[in-house]
């Protein structure tokens, strides 16, 4: 009888989860701007705390931070938008040149007795599709950013409400004396993870754009922004971000520059991902490669392009929340890399 009750409870939880996910997907047009606003507010909260140390009124601090966000958004939006439009217009020509380069590589391989059927390979593998993935995600994100006024307005209210959020959560969970340390650990972990990850991603984007500018690769600002956003997706994000820049360098400047671009991306992502980021984030916030890939598919299905770009931060929030709960810690362990188990 007890086992039957447990099965019924599991079925009810699963049914409730399906209903919640269906509701989120149907209301994605409203939820996506709210999620973006929440991430921007969390990332900007350290600036508000920094101004508070110097006794700057909160209203002035929030206005200053919002002006920075709007200034950066308008400047980058103009540059990236123009680059996306120009690149989209020339994309058919780039695809033709890319196929020609691919055929050239096949001909080179045939000289070394590596026989490949060109028509069959081209029918199964279109190199231009690799570029379409990145540009389509940028276009989808641009469509969401059309609600910029709503996002900024939500960020303002979130920044004003931020300091009282901790107390509200404790009160909502019937813990007014703040005895539940897991809540504070959960909130602090989310804040530190997103702030550090954003700084590392910003550094990665700047270094990638500088490399492409030095090598005179077209649309270096566009590829720098792409490297910044895709750095939120570890392991596979840096590869996806590098592909368009490498392919563009290949068809416009030749294999040598393309090889330098690929090597430069490899060095940047190795240093930032394996040295700088672990130094500040530590090992306790890792996700397994399989979970990263599955979260990319799941959040992309649920929230579109924004969900794919924010898939790992969203999964990290779920993992951190599970780690703060005794009942959900086993699920967090399954999501992790398993390094903490081998160390013990």
């Amino acid at each position: 009888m007890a086992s039957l009750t447990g099965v019924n409870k599991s079925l009810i939880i699963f049914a409730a989860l399906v209903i919640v996910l269906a509701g989120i997907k149907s209301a994605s047009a409203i939820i996506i701007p709210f999620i973006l606003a929440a991430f921007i507010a969390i990332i900007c909260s350290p600036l508000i705390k920094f101004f508070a140390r110097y006794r700057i009124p909160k209203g002035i601090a929030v206005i200053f931070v919002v002006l920075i966000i709007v200034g950066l958004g308008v400047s980058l939006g103009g540059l990236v938008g123009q680059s996306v439009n120009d690149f989209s217009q020339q994309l058919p020509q780039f695809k033709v040149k890319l196929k020609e380069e691919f055929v050239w590589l096949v001909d080179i391989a045939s000289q070394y007795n590596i026989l490949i059927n060109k028509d069959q390979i081209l029918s199964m593998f279109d190199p231009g599709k690799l570029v379409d993935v990145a540009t389509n995600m940028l276009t989808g994100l641009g469509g969401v950013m059309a609600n910029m006024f709503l996002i900024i307005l939500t960020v303002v209210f979130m920044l004003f409400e931020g300091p009282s959020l901790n107390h509200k959560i404790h009160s909502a969970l019937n813990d007014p004396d703040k005895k539940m340390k897991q809540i504070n650990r959960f909130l602090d972990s989310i804040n530190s993870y997103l702030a550090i990850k954003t700084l590392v991603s910003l550094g990665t984007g700047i270094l990638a754009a500088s490399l492409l500018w030095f090598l005179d690769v077209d649309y270096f600002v566009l590829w720098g922004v792409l490297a910044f956003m895709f750095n939120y997706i570890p392991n596979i994000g840096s590869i996806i971000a590098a592909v368009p820049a490498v392919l563009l360098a290949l068809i416009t400047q030749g294999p040598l520059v393309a090889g330098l671009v690929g090597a430069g991306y490899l060095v940047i992502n190795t240093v930032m991902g394996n040295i700088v980021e672990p130094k500040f984030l530590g090992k306790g916030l890792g996700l397994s490669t399989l979970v990263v890939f599955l979260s990319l598919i799941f959040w992309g299905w649920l929230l579109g392009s924004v969900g794919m770009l924010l898939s790992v931060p969203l999964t990290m929030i779920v993992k951190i929340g599970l780690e703060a709960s005794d009942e959900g810690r086993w699920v967090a362990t399954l999501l992790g890399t398993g390094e903490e188990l081998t160390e013990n």
Side-chain angles (χ1 to χ4, degrees), residues 3 17 22-23 66 105 119 131 144 165 167 204 209 227 250 272 282 287 304 320 322 328 334:
S3 60
L17 182 61
V66 169
L105 290 175
D119 296 331
V131 182
V144 175
L165 179 62
H167 178 71
T204 301
L250 175 66
M272 299 300 288
L287 294 173
I320 293 169
L322 292 170
L334 293 177

Side-chain angles (χ1 to χ4, degrees), residues 57-283:
K58 185 187 295 184
I60 296 177
V62 171
I63 292 173
F64 183 69
V65 170
V66 169
L67 288 177
I68 293 176
I69 296 171
V70 173
L72 290 175
V74 171
S75 301
L76 281 178
L79 288 173
V80 173
Q82 183 63 39
S83 298
V84 169
N85 291 334
D86 292 344
F87 183 75
S88 298
Q89 292 176 0
Q90 299 187 43
L91 190 56
Q93 301 175 12
F94 289 151
K95 285 185 177 181
V96 172
K97 293 181 180 179
L98 196 58
K99 285 186 177 181
E100 292 175 355
E101 293 289 341
F102 187 76
V103 171
W104 175 76
L105 290 175
V106 172
D107 292 337
I108 293 294
S110 64
Q111 296 178 8
Y112 294 91
N113 295 324
I114 302 175
L115 302 178
I116 302 174
N117 190 318
K118 290 182 287 188
D119 296 331
Q120 185 177 2
I121 292 295
L122 288 174
S123 64
M124 294 187 300
F125 172 70
D126 183 2
K129 294 294 183 182
L130 298 174
V131 182
D132 288 339
V133 171
T135 53
N136 288 341
M137 291 187 71
L138 280 174
T139 304
L141 185 64
V144 175
M145 296 307 290
N147 297 320
M148 192 68 182
F149 177 75
L150 175 62
I151 294 173
I152 293 298
L153 194 61
T154 308
V155 168
V156 171
F157 287 114
M158 286 182 174
L159 290 176
F160 275 109
E161 292 287 333
S164 62
L165 179 62
N166 193 320
H167 178 71
K168 287 182 178 180
I169 292 177
H170 278 281
S171 299
L173 296 177
N174 197 22
D175 183 42
D177 296 330
K178 298 186 178 181
K179 295 179 182 179
M180 296 173 62
K181 302 297 183 182
Q182 299 96 325
I183 299 175
N184 296 331
R185 187 165 64 247
F186 170 65
L187 296 174
D188 292 341
S189 298
I190 291 174
N191 287 332
S192 62
Y193 170 76
L194 288 179
I196 293 171
K197 188 66 177 179
T198 299
L199 289 176
V200 173
S201 299
L202 183 62
T204 301
I206 292 174
L207 289 175
S210 301
L211 170 70
L212 297 175
W213 171 79
F214 178 77
L215 295 175
D216 197 25
V217 178
D218 295 335
Y219 311 112
F220 61 89
V221 175
L222 175 63
W223 309 133
V225 172
L226 196 70
F228 162 71
M229 293 191 300
F230 276 70
N231 194 65
Y232 284 100
I233 307 173
N235 304 323
I236 59 176
S238 57
I239 298 174
I240 298 174
V243 166
V246 172
L247 293 179
L248 183 63
L250 175 66
I251 61 180
T252 56
Q253 300 193 44
L256 177 60
V257 176
L260 292 175
V261 171
Y265 266 86
L266 180 62
V267 171
I268 291 170
N269 287 289
T270 300
V271 172
M272 299 300 288
N274 297 330
I275 299 176
V276 176
E277 187 173 315
K279 180 179 179 181
F280 294 100
L281 284 179
K283 297 181 180 179

Side-chain angles (χ1 to χ4, degrees), residues 287-288 291 319 328-338 340-341:
L287 294 173
S288 71
V291 170
K319 181 174 182 286
R329 192 167 292 128
W330 67 273
V331 182
T333 302
L334 293 177
L335 296 176
T337 58
E340 62 276 7
L341 298 178

